[in-house]
Amino acid sequence: MRKLLVKTAGIAAISMAMACQTATANEALKIGFVGVTSGPAAAWGTSNVRSMQTRADWLNEQGGVTIGDTTYDIEIITFDDQKDPKRAIAGMEKMAQEGIHYVVGPNVDDGAAAVRPVAEKNDIIYFPYAFPKSLYTPPASNAVLGMIANYQSGPAIYTYLKENKGVKTVAFVAANESDPLSQRDGGVAAAEALGLKVVSSNITYQVDTTDFTPVITPAIKKRPDLLVLSGVAPANAPQLIRSARELGYQGIISTETAQDAQVLQEGAGNLANGFISVGGASTPEIASDTMREFVKRYTEKFGEYNDESNTKVYALEYIIETLKANPNALTNVEEFKKTIETFEVPNPYMKGDASLKYVGTTSFTQKRQLMVPLVVNVYQDGKFETLFIAEVD
Amino acid sequence: MEQILVNGAYLGAQYALIALGLTLIFALMNVLNFAHGQMYVLGGFVTYTIYGQLGMPYALALLVTAVSLAVVGAVVERFLFRPVIRRSQRDESTMLLAAGLGFFLDAVILLLFGEKQRGVPKLIDGVFNWDFRVIMPHDRILIGCLAVGCIVLFILFMHFSKTGRALRALAQDRDAAQLMGVDVDRYSMTGFALGAMLAGIVGGLLVTITGVNLGMGGPTSTKAFMMVMIGGAGVIPGAIVGGVILGFMESILLSALASYGDVTYLLIFVSLMIFLAIRPNGLMGKPWG
């Protein structure tokens, strides 16, 4: 009898605990991430994942996100594709198996191209940080570019340097991989279109190179006004800059990819001063209180901040806000695509009356790009300073 | 041309040091240590933590790195390779074990040190500039000299110390060495620890120049295997020669073929295949001695 009483009390306690949990916990809305979080380009994907996790925790702490009549807790499901297209496909298939319809990533061109069939077959809208136009141009319709493309930022940077720094000659150095090579080709075309003289564009290096001095020596011998490190991975940038400066190069060094100030500081120190890169989509001048709070939470959670997360914070925000605008899109990505056309809500991360809206009509003939500001930074003494801000469609 | 030769000499010195540890372990135990690159990376991260993060003197950081990696090597030999070699009838078992160890170390490094590229402050500032014909930063000259110094010390140790002689005897003929009273287990562990220590030291040296990240392990192992194959597997001078040859080939071809894109390693691999078809045992043939 006593045993029976104990058992009954135990079962009752467990049931009550479960009931309480059910009453307080929201349904989970899973958002995926497939991208690179290890190896030389890890900083790109890591800033995605950490931005998503920081924002998700923040929203969940506030009681979740109400879409239609239901309140959800945001759950971020991550997959490290190690910058390998085969793994990116496996990652996207995993997302499909989990029933996820919205995935951030991949971070590089070949990975983003590789997952396209899987995403389209499984009704997944994905937000790559990769630049092939074919992903965003009809008949493709499931990919939405999460940042500014190099063919949008490159001309803006070269024009600025030509007009303000008197740049006349330019040399390009790129890793022997599809992303950097395509970015180099785009950069060469943009530079030539602006009337700059391209003195070197054939120098490439193995992505696993550890000593860049022999690689970069031929480019330095051409003494260009501007040395462009096309598509350079955050791990390689400080070494290339260091080698170039140590070889006596005194011109301007730039890239159209985002970089990590701490990695530059540790790897190149003051030799990286003056290095120009595309920055995160925020600056002290345009950051709202929400952006500052985001940066604070991110830094507290991970112990450091990556400027690129100013851009990476946007994808999750766009997904959630678009789903709020049309709850039917939770399970039907065609509804999401319809909503893209007219979607516009206030941008919480910028001061003033900026808005979140989809753009890209000029580049892709359809709205398949997140509207984020183009911020071009210059590295100086351990941190990025804003060089100029622009807007692209 | 002078710059290319200096670049080659610097690369050759660091490559030779990387290859030494790998070939030592192969000579002693017939184990292809696929985790050699990961040990190099671990050494880089230990130095980064002590010198870069904790701000302690670089010499101390390098010493702690050497000791840490020697301990890792000894533990790996004692508790992983020794039992497998003793029980397994097939050589592939140790290869699989080494590959598995590489993945395991990758995971441990990711957990302990994160995924990002890390670097440390320059050891010394300044650049040697000979009329723009040869430009060499002072810290590279220092690291190059330290690498050469380590190689010389290692050779002296192997030739003139009792442990070195025992290791050489073990590499020549394991059974004969045992019959002559060499404690095979003890010296196998010592040799593995020494190999891992060399990988750690080179990681600790190069973190000051190239930085370190998680992804460096695999490519480093691949290059080390190439050097060992060029020089002759298990032959200590062969590893040095292989490292120097690879360093000079890389430097010369990167410069000479710069306008043709990234064909340097394509040519190096093709040359290696042709070379191995002609001399399958490498330049210096059979193991040690």
Side-chain angles (χ1 to χ4, degrees):
Chain A
M1 186 64 185
R2 197 176 160 193
K3 273 186 182 174
L4 184 66
L5 274 172
V6 171
K7 268 187 187 173
T8 311
I11 291 167
I14 291 166
S15 305
M16 279 179 71
M18 286 177 71
C20 288
Q21 200 177 12
T22 312
T24 54
N26 296 319
E27 197 177 322
L29 172 59
K30 292 180 181 177
I31 306 291
F33 168 78
V34 176
V36 52
T37 56
S38 60
W44 290 337
T46 307
S47 63
N48 273 118
V49 170
R50 289 180 172 181
S51 299
M52 294 170 78
Q53 289 172 339
T54 303
R55 185 60 176 145
D57 287 354
W58 187 3
L59 291 169
N60 295 342
E61 188 186 301
Q62 290 174 332
V65 173
T66 302
I67 298 171
D69 298 328
T70 312
T71 301
Y72 297 90
D73 279 343
I74 306 297
E75 186 182 345
I76 307 298
I77 309 294
T78 66
F79 187 94
D80 177 12
D81 66 17
Q82 296 172 6
K83 214 156 151 272
D84 177 349
K86 294 192 290 296
R87 282 188 58 86
I89 291 170
M92 199 57 95
E93 281 170 347
K94 182 195 170 201
M95 298 300 153
Q97 285 161 11
E98 295 249 2
I100 293 171
H101 289 289
Y102 299 95
V103 175
V104 176
N107 296 97
V108 294
D109 290 5
D110 48 7
V115 301
R116 179 180 165 186
V118 183
E120 289 177 353
K121 185 182 165 195
N122 293 286
D123 285 339
I124 292 173
I125 297 282
Y126 61 114
F127 296 75
Y129 293 81
F131 304 147
K133 285 189 177 178
S134 59
L135 293 176
Y136 314 107
T137 309
S141 63
N142 284 42
V144 179
L145 176 58
M147 64 188 294
I148 308 286
N150 72 310
Y151 37 79
Q152 296 166 329
S153 61
I157 295 173
Y158 304 153
T159 304
Y160 175 87
L161 293 176
K162 186 182 172 188
E163 290 173 357
N164 295 282
K165 304 286 180 186
V167 166
K168 292 188 177 70
T169 56
V170 55
F172 290 83
V173 177
N176 192 18
E177 282 193 318
S178 61
D179 275 43
L181 292 177
S182 68
Q183 291 186 31
R184 178 200 62 187
D185 295 343
V188 169
E192 287 175 340
L194 286 168
L196 297 173
K197 185 181 178 191
V198 178
V199 293
S200 172
S201 61
N202 290 330
I203 296 171
T204 58
Y205 56 88
Q206 293 279 320
V207 73
D208 53 21
T209 300
T210 52
D211 192 331
F212 287 90
T213 300
V215 172
I216 210 159
T217 301
I220 301 305
K221 282 182 180 167
K222 304 274 185 184
R223 305 204 176 246
D225 298 331
L226 171 65
L227 176 64
V228 179
L229 310 178
S230 300
V232 65
N236 296 145
Q239 299 172 65
L240 280 157
I241 293 166
R242 186 170 163 167
S243 291
R245 293 297 184 213
E246 286 177 341
L247 285 168
Y249 179 66
Q250 307 213 324
I252 298 167
I253 308 177
S254 78
T255 184
E256 289 109 40
T257 47
Q259 300 297 319
D260 185 317
Q262 192 187 352
V263 170
L264 288 169
Q265 170 65 24
E266 286 185 357
N270 289 341
L271 294 176
N273 283 349
F275 175 53
I276 294 168
S277 64
V278 172
S282 187
T283 71
E285 298 82 43
I286 62 174
S288 66
D289 290 342
T290 307
M291 179 59 94
R292 279 192 282 274
E293 175 70 13
F294 167 75
V295 174
K296 181 169 160 274
R297 284 171 177 265
Y298 184 118
T299 311
E300 281 171 3
K301 188 174 173 70
F302 298 107
E304 61 183 358
Y305 189 70
N306 182 344
D307 174 75
E308 200 194 354
S309 296
N310 292 336
T311 304
K312 300 297 177 64
V313 68
Y314 275 100
L316 182 62
E317 204 70 30
Y318 267 93
I319 292 169
I320 291 170
E321 290 301 325
T322 311
L323 291 175
K324 277 185 188 173
N326 181 359
N328 291 333
L330 273 169
T331 52
N332 185 349
V333 298
E334 294 307 318
E335 291 291 326
F336 192 95
K337 292 176 192 173
K338 278 185 207 162
T339 310
I340 280 176
E341 297 302 321
T342 53
F343 174 82
E344 186 165 355
V345 298
N347 184 339
Y349 298 111
M350 282 177 71
K351 284 179 188 166
D353 55 359
S355 55
L356 299 179
K357 60 184 177 184
Y358 293 86
V359 294
T361 311
T362 309
S363 297
F364 313 122
T365 70
Q366 61 178 348
K367 289 184 175 178
R368 285 298 182 275
Q369 182 174 13
L370 305 184
M371 165 71 190
V372 293
L374 166 62
V375 175
V376 177
N377 283 334
V378 58
Y379 176 88
Q380 195 66 40
D381 297 329
K383 60 182 191 298
F384 289 117
E385 293 171 1
T386 308
L387 195 63
F388 65 89
I389 301 169
E391 202 171 274
V392 297
D393 181 356
Chain B
M1 190 62 192
E2 294 91 338
Q3 182 69 51
I4 295 166
L5 293 177
V6 169
N7 287 345
Y10 168 77
L11 279 176
Q14 57 167 278
Y15 284 171
L17 196 56
I18 293 172
L20 271 182
L22 185 70
T23 210
L24 175 68
I25 291 170
F26 182 77
L28 292 176
M29 305 172 66
N30 216 22
V31 166
L32 282 171
N33 184 17
F34 290 107
H36 195 69
Q38 279 74 12
M39 290 176 171
Y40 158 89
V41 171
L42 187 58
F45 273 115
V46 173
T47 305
Y48 162 76
T49 306
I50 295 169
Y51 174 58
Q53 296 295 101
L54 302 179
M56 296 173 128
Y58 178 69
L60 177 68
L62 203 56
L63 183 68
V64 174
T65 301
V67 173
S68 309
L69 266 293
V71 170
V72 168
V75 168
V76 163
E77 194 282 335
R78 174 66 185 84
F79 295 105
L80 293 177
F81 283 97
R82 193 184 301 178
V84 170
I85 289 170
R86 187 164 291 162
R87 290 179 200 160
S88 175
Q89 303 293 317
R90 301 170 67 96
D91 288 342
E92 299 92 313
S93 305
T94 57
M95 290 170 65
L96 284 171
L97 178 59
L101 179 64
F103 288 121
F104 172 75
L105 286 178
D106 266 340
V108 170
I109 292 166
L110 178 66
L111 284 173
L112 290 180
F113 302 105
E115 74 299 324
K116 282 170 81 168
Q117 167 80 11
R118 297 297 184 188
V120 299
K122 280 166 79 76
L123 288 178
I124 43 172
D125 287 324
V127 177
F128 170 78
N129 188 338
W130 177 38
D131 199 23
F132 284 97
R133 292 165 74 182
V134 175
I135 300 171
M136 199 69 174
H138 290 162
D139 57 351
R140 277 175 187 258
I141 296 172
L142 175 68
I143 294 301
C145 292
L146 284 174
V148 172
C150 287
I151 292 168
V152 171
L153 273 178
F154 177 76
I155 291 171
L156 292 175
F157 174 80
M158 292 299 284
H159 273 89
F160 299 111
S161 72
K162 185 184 167 193
T163 305
R165 282 195 294 272
L167 290 173
R168 286 165 57 205
L170 208 58
Q172 271 186 339
D173 192 321
R174 199 176 181 85
D175 294 333
Q178 194 165 19
L179 288 171
M180 295 303 289
V182 173
D183 185 341
V184 170
D185 284 347
R186 184 179 146 204
Y187 283 106
S188 291
M189 188 163 78
T190 305
F192 208 106
L194 200 55
M197 188 178 83
L198 284 170
I201 286 174
V202 74
L205 289 175
L206 291 184
V207 73
T208 65
I209 306 291
T210 61
V212 63
N213 69 63
L214 182 63
M216 282 180 167
T220 303
S221 290
T222 306
K223 277 190 181 173
F225 279 119
M226 284 170 64
M227 297 171 234
V228 167
M229 297 315 291
I230 292 169
V235 187
I236 302 289
I240 297 168
V241 171
V244 172
I245 289 174
L246 186 66
F248 274 96
M249 280 180 85
E250 205 173 290
S251 175
I252 293 166
L253 293 178
L254 277 171
S255 181
L257 305 174
S259 56
Y260 300 102
D262 188 18
V263 293
T264 298
Y265 261 86
L266 179 75
L267 273 185
I268 289 176
F269 278 118
V270 169
S271 309
L272 184 63
M273 282 187 266
I274 294 169
F275 171 74
L276 286 178
I278 298 164
R279 283 188 74 94
N281 289 326
L283 282 174
M284 299 198 173
K286 298 281 180 182
W288 192 256

